[in-house]
Amino acid sequence: MSEGTVDEKVSIIIPTYNRAQLLRECLVSLLGMQGVEENVEIVVVDNGSTDETRHIVSSFALRHRGVVYVEEVRSGLSQARNRGVKVASGGIVAFLDDDVEVHQSWLGALRQAFRNPRISAVGGRVLPPMGVNLPSWMPTSRMYLLSLFDNGDTPRRYTQRECFPGGNMALRKWLFVSCGLFDTSLGRKRRILLGGEEVALYRKIVRGGYEVWYWPDMIVYHKIADRIDPDWILNYASCLGRSDLRMDLLYGNKWKCLAKSVRSVTQIFGSGLRGKPMVLSQRHFEQSIRRHYAKGYLQELRTILDLRVWRFR
């Protein structure tokens, strides 16, 4: 699509599971944006909710023809996202979490990004809502553990070592034909905080030579107040360690897996810190994050090795 052409249809996919009230607030913010009635559909993928999710989405669909309700009975965020991609009728597919609210400029910024024909995918900013104070003990470089992402005010191409945020990303739909869908062995399943599915897809896109850009005016506000807890963050760090081990094995990085396993053992037994200190500081919490990530990595390695040994008994 070249500069100045008519904007492509945008399909906004929102996977959800038992968060009806948060989903309602997300939909209200989306439907309050300028231009949302023009060439936009909102696909809510219900991943087995037992609350009022279906009723709430149906009530929005009665008033807004662009709202679509879809069920996906197979558990997992990747399964729900893939179902949304298959249903989406737009040439651009955007993904939001069900616990965000969008900035008024979100849709306009997204459209502006994709007017550049070289850009194949974009990721935006994920900020805390107004009034939410971030803890002083949380290292700035680890804000992704709170699902917050802010790379500044200037649009730029992502590097190979970065990744777009899963809760605020958009891709041209043909990328899923070229690079495949989300890996269903990765990603969150109910309350198990695994991840990695966006990272795996991002790596395929970048290796294919496609341009992925950071677009700062694509802003969402993520309701993370219940996550600002050291135990929650450290558990998530452990789950990301498990996810990274899966990715390393799935995508043939056996030597990398060996090297990271050795580093993980060193991280666990070489650190002088044991448990949480009485007074948290960024330095101490950074050490705790690294140890929990390492534990998760080794825990998943042991689980996979145990399964393989069991198969050959």
Side-chain angles (χ1 to χ4, degrees), residues 225-286:
D226 60 336
R227 302 182 184 189
I228 303 177
D229 173 77
D231 291 329
W232 192 97
I233 294 167
L234 293 176
N235 177 54
Y236 189 31
S238 177
C239 289
L240 289 186
R242 294 175 57 194
S243 303
D244 277 1
L245 184 279
R246 290 190 183 193
M247 281 196 292
D248 288 343
L249 291 180
L250 281 169
Y251 296 100
N253 297 321
K254 294 181 180 179
W255 290 110
K256 184 178 181 180
C257 175
L258 178 61
K260 286 172 75 172
S261 297
V262 171
R263 285 202 304 270
S264 294
V265 171
T266 303
Q267 185 66 52
I268 291 170
F269 295 103
S271 171
L273 182 66
R274 294 292 180 269
K276 287 187 297 183
M278 294 297 292
V279 179
L280 282 176
S281 68
Q282 285 195 18
R283 183 177 68 84
H284 286 143
F285 201 59
E286 173 66 26

Side-chain angles (χ1 to χ4, degrees), residues 95 106 113-114 118-126 144 148-171 175 198-199 201-203 205-207 209-220:
F95 296 88
W106 181 84
F114 283 104
R118 299 194 316 274
I119 293 179
S120 298
V122 294
R125 281 200 260 201
V126 184
Y144 65 87
L148 299 177
F149 301 86
D150 185 355
N151 292 319
D153 299 329
T154 306
R156 61 172 177 80
R157 188 173 179 176
Y158 279 117
T159 67
Q160 288 191 355
R161 296 178 64 85
E162 295 178 291
C163 183
F164 42 38
N168 185 18
M169 60 185 179
L171 304 83
L175 274 177
E198 308 102 13
V199 178
L201 178 61
Y202 177 84
R203 288 176 180 173
I205 294 170
V206 171
R207 286 170 185 165
Y210 305 113
E211 290 193 23
V212 185
W213 278 61
Y214 166 67
W215 211 258
D217 290 341
M218 250 177 73
I219 298 170
V220 303

Side-chain angles (χ1 to χ4, degrees), residues 163-184:
C163 183
F164 42 38
N168 185 18
M169 60 185 179
L171 304 83
R172 298 194 191 273
K173 191 176 180 182
W174 54 257
L175 274 177
F176 292 104
V177 177
S178 179
C179 301
L181 295 168
F182 292 99
D183 190 326
T184 55

Side-chain angles (χ1 to χ4, degrees), residues 21 23 27 31-32 44 64 66 99-100 113 120 128 130 138-139 152 202 221 233 242-243 246 253 264 269 274 287 296:
Q21 185 54 43
L23 176 64
L27 290 173
L31 293 167
V44 179
H64 303 276
D99 57 350
V100 305
S120 298
M130 294 292 291
M138 186 69 180
Y202 177 84
Y221 300 99
I233 294 167
R242 294 175 57 194
S243 303
R246 290 190 183 193
N253 297 321
S264 294
F269 295 103
R274 294 292 180 269
Q287 289 179 327

